[in-house]
Amino acid sequence: MQFSSLLVLLAAVNLAYTRRSSLLQRHGTLPLVNHGMFPSTQTGHYSGNGPRAPVERRQAPESSGCDANSQLSVTAPKSNIFAGLTTDETIAITAFLHDQKSLNLTAASNATRQIITVELLQPNKSDALSYLDSGSQAPVRHARALIRFGATLEPYLQEYLVGPLPVAAGKTTVAPLDSIFNKGRGYQRLYNVDTEALTAFSYGYTSTNISDISQQLLNGTATGDASGTFALAGTTPLIFEGDRVLQWNQLYALHTGACEDEDILPSGLMFKTDITGRDPSKWSVVALQYNGIFYESEADLRKAINSSGFVKPGPNVDGTWACTDYNNVSFPHDELNPPVSVAPDGARFTVDVEEKYIEWMDFTFYLSSSKYLGTQLHNIRYKGERIIYELGIQEAMAHYASASDPFQASNAYLDSEYGFGQTGWQLVSGFDCPVYATYLNTSYYTGETTHVHPSSICLFEYDTGYPIQRHTAGSYVSVTKNIAFTVRSISTVGNYDYMFDYEFFLDGSIHVTVRASGYIESSFWATGTQSNDGFHIHDNLAGSMHDHVLNYKVDLDVAGTANSVAKTELVPITKVYPWSNGREINTMTIDRTYLASEDEGKLSWDANNNVMYSVLNKDAVNPYGEYRSYKIMPATGNRNHLTIQNSTTLGKSANWATHHLYAVQRKDTEPSSAYPYNGRDPNNPVVDFAKFFDGDSLDQEDIVIYFNLGMHHIPDQSDLPNTVFT
């Protein structure tokens, strides 16, 4: 899948993708899965007599002989003030926080009062620009620390501000960080911190109360240990009905072969739990469903099973159809090596690895990476002039729907909680990136440990395969190669692998593209399932319809920070012109208007693509009197926003997904459209994007554009075993 947008000079944005729940083996037990994250540590039950067959790797072709490591270096003109904290800083901050008696922190292994993560608090823009443009001192660094308080009847997360840095006695302080969250405080209530108790309760129910039912219907059980043949997955987010907290759980068959394909092995047997409060003795199972039929009690299901005409379609069974391993079926001439890209003279861009600073042709910029948001770009300059202060993803959603499957109807994932940086692993040379690419490491701090992911960002030029310019004249042909420069990372969030690309072109345009592959999150094809619920794609398997929406922030600075937003529309008209001899001419005209305030800032692309938006500076004109501007437009791939209106599942936590793009006045108190833990209490989010729109002026102000990429996905057989990048 591909979703994309284009930032173009006068100006252009580009994207494609997929996801799901998680299961790790701890102390011999399987916790409930959320978001398709079935564990590689759980091997399932291989039916053969020998060891499990490994997934084969088809080797990339050998290098052409060019020096793939001949990377040109450069010294960044300024220190990267956007880069994350150093290991020494995080160690000092952690020790400082543990010394604060008011926090009464416990070790990372003890979840009662635990530091979840420590990250750099990005500097205020005014301070950053003074440093970048005027030679002022670098902004004083501060950290934000996220702490979980679990030893209370109402567990919660709280953000803290720590600084100034470096940590120094008598200077560094810690206080709640509330100013950047429009909830009024950096606080989020938690309703499911008792994961071990919930795991024990859920698997206790399936291994004791309904083990006979699952054996009869599925020929297996979910026990939570090596004796089981099924695992449990729970819906995300939790379901809030009045003062009750509930969750649907479904049995998924464990994989039996080399591929971890539980996401496409739903059983259709599910149960709804009431997990209100922290006392497991008061938790209960309040409903069940099997084969698309809802049962108000376990007794009702047992009665139905024993009745005549009861249908038992059986489980989805693992097999080669579900595995991505090479199946020995070849295309003609597939034994020959495919074409490969080469860089005959090595890299044509320069990198300061320490500062993560890059120069390519007329572009320069800095990179940063964080646990939650992954790779972000800063201070992007073109021909020496800053055009973008900040560019990067803010959130990604996969919102499911179903009439016949309450499990899928309750799932809506906000992926930043799982961490685009945390799930950004080492890239595979020759497959994920060309063999000649340059690689950068990323790191993040969580669980009081710095985690380094080697070679998790790649940088490379490539020939797009079509010229950027061409014209045949009477006596010559003029044609120019279209060479682009790419910054790429890949994050595996549950069942989906997102490929994030930032592409720079010689004409000054920037393409933002996301692609997605991986296993779909499927649903059980129940007997009598209606076609408006999805396609029947395998024996007892349905493709579960869902929307993907990925939200990006771009802080454009066109000839300075004082900018406006123009709407340029092609409008059909019928008009008599002085030259038309009194005849009416059916034609079109250009209608130019400007957004006056944030009240007009929620925007959507026209169905015919005849509306264009640009960020411009009314105080800067070109030699012909036109305002200097950057145009924002959809490029190849899909463009969409969330189909569902006023989502019951996500409440107020995803108000950034209602339109294609948004224009707001930039504020240091509104650094992001979302918050990684909004989904923990969807109706009371830490950041509610709807509150950004409070009527502020958009006339010659510092403007931020938030734009959405994504697709409406109704999986079909082409999504098996994996959705493919396009």
Side-chain angles (χ1 to χ4, degrees):
M1 290 180 284
Q2 176 177 334
F3 331 128
S4 79
S5 215
L6 176 69
L7 293 168
V8 177
L9 257 182
L10 153 149
V13 178
N14 218 338
L15 164 78
Y17 123 82
T18 330
R19 177 199 15 316
R20 184 175 134 106
S21 278
S22 166
L23 179 125
L24 301 172
Q25 188 166 2
R26 293 185 304 179
H27 312 301
T29 64
L30 300 178
L32 288 176
V33 172
N34 291 303
H35 197 327
M37 296 180 181
F38 290 94
S40 57
T41 52
Q42 173 62 25
T43 59
H45 297 268
Y46 177 56
S47 58
N49 296 321
R52 289 163 48 83
V55 178
E56 294 182 14
R57 169 173 172 156
R58 304 189 74 192
Q59 297 295 329
E62 294 296 326
S63 169
S64 65
C66 302
D67 183 1
N69 297 313
S70 58
Q71 176 58 57
L72 302 174
S73 63
V74 68
T75 299
K78 298 276 188 175
S79 296
N80 187 348
I81 58 174
F82 311 103
L85 301 170
T86 66
T87 299
D88 288 343
E89 285 177 320
T90 54
I91 290 173
I93 292 166
T94 299
F96 173 78
L97 291 173
H98 276 281
D99 288 341
Q100 307 307 303
K101 293 182 179 180
S102 60
L103 296 177
N104 191 27
L105 296 179
T106 55
S109 57
N110 185 330
T112 55
R113 285 174 173 255
Q114 177 189 16
I115 300 173
I116 300 299
T117 190
V118 176
E119 291 187 341
L120 176 72
L121 179 66
Q122 289 296 326
N124 288 341
K125 184 175 179 180
S126 56
D127 296 335
L129 294 188
S130 292
Y131 169 70
L132 294 170
D133 299 342
S134 304
S136 300
Q137 292 293 316
V140 176
R141 288 162 67 85
H142 290 79
R144 51 188 291 188
L146 180 63
I147 298 177
R148 177 171 62 181
F149 295 87
T152 173
L153 287 177
E154 296 186 352
Y156 63 94
L157 296 170
Q158 175 65 53
E159 295 267 4
Y160 285 89
L161 173 68
V162 183
L165 302 178
V167 172
K171 293 184 178 180
T172 301
T173 62
V174 58
L177 175 60
D178 299 326
S179 61
I180 61 174
F181 309 112
N182 60 24
K183 187 176 189 173
R185 54 180 178 156
Y187 164 96
Q188 185 66 308
R189 177 80 161 82
L190 299 175
Y191 294 89
N192 58 345
V193 297
D194 302 303
T195 53
E196 291 187 5
L198 182 57
T199 296
F201 171 81
S202 302
Y203 276 109
Y205 181 76
T206 55
S207 62
T208 304
N209 296 57
I210 62 168
S211 60
D212 60 324
I213 291 177
S214 64
Q215 281 284 2
Q216 187 175 358
L217 301 180
L218 308 175
N219 194 31
T221 57
T223 62
D225 57 31
S227 68
T229 51
F230 286 81
L232 290 176
T235 51
T236 301
L238 297 175
I239 303 165
F240 297 88
E241 296 180 359
D243 62 350
R244 313 309 294 172
V245 180
L246 305 106
Q247 184 179 46
W248 278 98
N249 301 277
Q250 181 170 195
L251 283 73
Y252 281 76
L254 291 168
H255 66 273
T256 58
C259 291
E260 298 165 15
D261 48 20
E262 282 86 352
D263 286 289
I264 52 175
L265 301 175
S267 70
L269 177 60
M270 58 193 74
F271 56 96
K272 188 178 186 180
T273 56
D274 184 332
I275 54 173
T276 306
R278 302 199 65 180
D279 184 353
S281 68
K282 296 181 180 179
W283 296 347
S284 62
V285 173
V286 296
L288 299 93
Q289 177 156 315
Y290 175 67
N291 192 25
I293 300 175
F294 178 81
Y295 300 96
E296 292 188 353
S297 68
E298 184 183 319
D300 289 346
L301 175 56
R302 291 183 181 279
K303 181 179 179 181
I305 291 173
N306 295 320
S307 66
S308 61
F310 182 79
V311 178
K312 294 185 292 184
N316 283 290
V317 179
D318 197 6
T320 56
W321 67 273
C323 189
T324 56
D325 201 0
Y326 184 53
N327 60 13
N328 295 318
V329 177
S330 298
F331 296 109
H333 312 302
D334 192 33
E335 73 282 1
L336 302 177
N337 283 325
V340 295
S341 298
V342 297
D345 295 316
R348 301 194 308 161
F349 54 92
T350 55
V351 180
D352 184 331
V353 174
E354 285 298 314
E355 298 294 342
K356 288 188 168 56
Y357 170 79
I358 297 159
E359 294 182 349
W360 177 77
M361 302 302 169
D362 285 329
F363 285 102
T364 66
F365 55 90
Y366 292 87
L367 298 178
S368 72
S369 183
S370 68
K371 172 185 174 180
Y372 296 111
L373 298 184
T375 303
Q376 306 279 298
L377 282 66
H378 307 271
N379 198 36
I380 301 174
R381 293 176 180 264
Y382 181 68
K383 296 184 182 295
E385 185 175 3
R386 180 173 47 257
I387 56 173
I388 295 175
Y389 175 74
E390 178 185 1
L391 172 61
I393 192 168
Q394 306 298 296
E395 188 56 277
M397 166 207 296
H399 199 312
Y400 290 77
S402 177
S404 62
D405 185 339
F407 184 89
Q408 287 302 90
S410 302
N411 277 331
Y413 304 109
L414 297 175
D415 285 342
S416 68
E417 178 179 347
Y418 304 94
F420 297 117
Q422 181 173 256
T423 60
W425 304 105
Q426 183 171 353
L427 298 165
V428 181
S429 179
F431 289 85
D432 293 328
C433 312
V435 293
Y436 56 81
T438 295
Y439 294 86
L440 299 175
N441 300 339
T442 59
S443 64
Y444 63 93
Y445 187 82
T446 192
E448 300 188 14
T449 303
T450 296
H451 302 261
V452 178
H453 289 187
S455 302
S456 48
I457 296 175
C458 69
L459 314 171
F460 60 92
E461 274 189 305
Y462 75 103
D463 188 327
T464 62
Y466 63 94
I468 194 172
Q469 166 277 328
R470 191 188 193 285
H471 180 65
T472 299
S475 59
Y476 65 89
V477 174
S478 172
V479 60
T480 305
K481 274 187 170 293
N482 191 10
I483 305 300
F485 177 76
T486 299
V487 177
R488 173 174 292 171
S489 61
I490 297 177
S491 298
T492 302
V493 184
N495 53 310
Y496 278 129
D497 291 48
Y498 296 94
M499 177 183 285
F500 300 105
D501 282 357
Y502 297 93
E503 298 174 290
F504 298 81
F505 289 80
L506 296 171
D507 64 349
S509 64
I510 302 170
H511 292 229
V512 182
T513 302
V514 183
R515 295 177 172 84
S517 184
Y519 283 101
I520 60 169
E521 180 168 318
S522 58
S523 58
F524 190 81
W525 181 264
T527 305
T529 297
Q530 300 299 308
S531 60
N532 62 0
D533 223 23
F535 295 115
H536 190 178
I537 60 176
H538 200 65
D539 295 344
N540 295 316
L541 194 68
S544 188
M545 61 178 166
H546 55 284
D547 276 356
H548 293 290
V549 187
L550 293 90
N551 187 250
Y552 279 80
K553 175 183 181 180
V554 56
D555 181 352
L556 283 155
D557 288 345
V558 181
T561 59
N563 293 163
S564 300
V565 181
K567 176 182 179 181
T568 304
E569 184 175 7
L570 292 172
V571 180
I573 61 169
T574 300
K575 189 170 182 178
V576 176
Y577 294 97
W579 45 262
S580 66
N581 249 354
R583 201 164 48 102
E584 288 188 336
I585 303 296
N586 295 324
T587 184
M588 60 184 176
T589 189
I590 296 175
D591 183 19
R592 292 190 180 98
T593 56
Y594 299 93
L595 305 186
S597 73
E598 292 174 337
D599 294 337
E600 303 171 357
K602 298 179 181 179
L603 311 169
S604 288
W605 302 117
D606 185 82
N608 194 35
N609 285 334
N610 62 323
V611 174
M612 290 156 279
Y613 296 96
S614 54
V615 175
L616 55 85
N617 191 330
K618 293 180 179 178
D619 297 324
V621 296
N622 68 13
Y624 309 103
E626 299 289 352
Y627 297 137
R628 294 181 59 191
S629 64
Y630 247 81
K631 181 169 55 179
I632 302 170
M633 56 189 289
T636 58
N638 301 280
R639 59 192 182 110
N640 67 281
H641 55 73
L642 183 62
T643 302
I644 298 167
Q645 299 180 15
N646 301 315
S647 169
T648 302
T649 304
L650 288 180
K652 299 176 181 178
S653 63
N655 282 324
W656 46 266
T658 60
H659 292 71
H660 290 131
L661 69 163
Y662 308 85
V664 297
Q665 187 185 120
R666 190 194 184 282
K667 303 181 184 72
D668 287 327
T669 56
E670 295 176 344
S672 179
S673 58
Y675 181 71
Y677 295 94
N678 268 356
R680 293 301 185 102
D681 192 359
N683 289 307
N684 298 284
V686 176
V687 174
D688 181 354
F689 187 59
K691 294 180 180 179
F692 281 36
F693 298 86
D694 50 9
D696 287 330
S697 170
L698 296 180
D699 183 34
Q700 290 302 97
E701 301 286 353
D702 196 352
I703 304 296
V704 170
I705 301 294
Y706 289 94
F707 61 89
N708 287 325
L709 307 177
M711 73 172 293
H712 307 295
H713 193 192
I714 307 175
D716 54 36
Q717 284 185 295
S718 67
D719 291 288
L720 295 177
N722 273 188
T723 292
V724 297
F725 288 146
T726 52

